[in-house]
Amino acid sequence: PTISAGDTEGIAAIFAYLTQPDSTETFSTIFYHATPEHFPIVQRYFDTPDPMSMWRMTVTPERFRRDLPLDHAVRLTGADAADAQAVFHSGLPGDLTPGNFDPASIQPDLLDSGIFYGVKVDGRLVAIAGTHIISAEGIGVVGYVFTSADARGKGYATVCTAAVTRDLLDRGLDLVALNVKQDNPAAVRAYEKIGYVRHSAMYEGTAQHRMKCV
């Protein structure tokens, strides 16, 4: 993944260096997260078909809703890896867009090293959420939020996300963030119920280097 952050001129200089033909760092395909001011720089060097418009949402300890009932959330471990993969495989066509991770990447060490919670119904895991990043700077990033197709509309993903968020904040983190599609208002509302607010807009997608830059 390529994540842009910082001064626009600096980002432009980095992309110019990394995409020059004789650079040892040259790469042809990226999965990018770019702010609106940085997205034109990505487009200068890469073809960006079907970019997804996203919201980056954040929550602080003060905003987090600690009155939410989270009794159904269970901490997941490496022993749940196969069940976690099954949750994603049970989704609907189009749920996993190009550039998203392969469910097979959810291995036992990922669940053991990160913070993952799920909801089980009649012993079957039906929803999951976990962590992408836990930073030493006091920032956590939540992801892997997904619900089986036959268990949606019951608030299970909200419970999982809230449980992961609570765990991160209880560990002393100052800020927790996640990304959500702008055209998914139901998910945005669910995260707002937890205490998340929209922090910034961004674009996300897979891009192919054009080799001849303008």
Side-chain angles (χ1 to χ4, degrees):
T2 300
I3 302 173
S4 70
D7 178 74
T8 300
E9 291 185 4
I11 295 296
I14 291 172
F15 268 86
Y17 171 76
L18 292 177
T19 55
Q20 58 186 326
D22 59 346
S23 173
T24 59
E25 302 294 335
T26 296
F27 45 91
S28 60
T29 303
I30 61 171
F31 183 65
Y32 63 87
H33 299 261
T35 60
E37 61 268 26
H38 294 163
F39 189 50
I41 299 172
V42 178
Q43 292 180 305
R44 186 183 307 168
Y45 300 99
F46 292 84
D47 291 321
T48 57
D50 303 319
M52 293 182 289
S53 297
M54 310 289 289
W55 290 118
R56 176 161 291 156
M57 304 185 71
T58 61
V59 64
T60 61
E62 295 76 20
R63 290 200 305 263
F64 178 64
R65 288 278 308 280
R66 289 195 170 270
D67 58 333
L68 295 173
L70 303 180
D71 295 341
H72 293 309
V74 295
R75 178 71 185 268
L76 302 180
T77 68
D80 298 297
D83 292 339
Q85 291 181 24
V87 171
F88 289 96
H89 285 303
S90 69
L92 298 171
D95 277 343
L96 302 181
T97 56
N100 279 14
F101 76 106
D102 180 353
S105 66
I106 301 184
Q107 294 295 316
D109 59 339
L110 177 67
L111 298 180
D112 285 332
S113 61
I115 298 172
F116 284 78
Y117 281 84
V119 169
K120 296 184 179 181
V121 176
D122 296 327
R124 179 173 73 96
L125 185 67
V126 297
I128 184 175
T131 49
H132 283 310
I133 298 171
I134 305 175
S135 167
E137 285 73 29
I139 299 174
V141 179
V142 174
Y144 301 101
V145 182
F146 203 81
T147 304
S148 297
D150 62 350
R152 295 177 181 173
K154 304 180 186 298
Y156 295 147
T158 305
V159 170
C160 295
T161 304
V164 174
T165 303
R166 180 184 63 182
D167 198 320
L168 289 169
L169 295 174
D170 285 349
R171 292 167 184 255
L173 271 67
D174 302 314
L175 185 74
V176 179
L178 55 77
N179 299 328
V180 59
K181 291 181 180 179
Q182 291 186 14
D183 63 0
N184 190 351
V188 172
R189 288 194 297 269
Y191 297 140
E192 288 175 339
K193 290 179 181 178
I194 299 172
Y196 283 86
V197 297
R198 297 177 218 190
H199 178 269
S200 60
M202 59 178 294
Y203 293 100
E204 177 181 302
T206 300
Q208 185 74 30
H209 185 213
R210 289 197 297 271
M211 304 308 292
K212 291 184 179 180
C213 306
V214 295

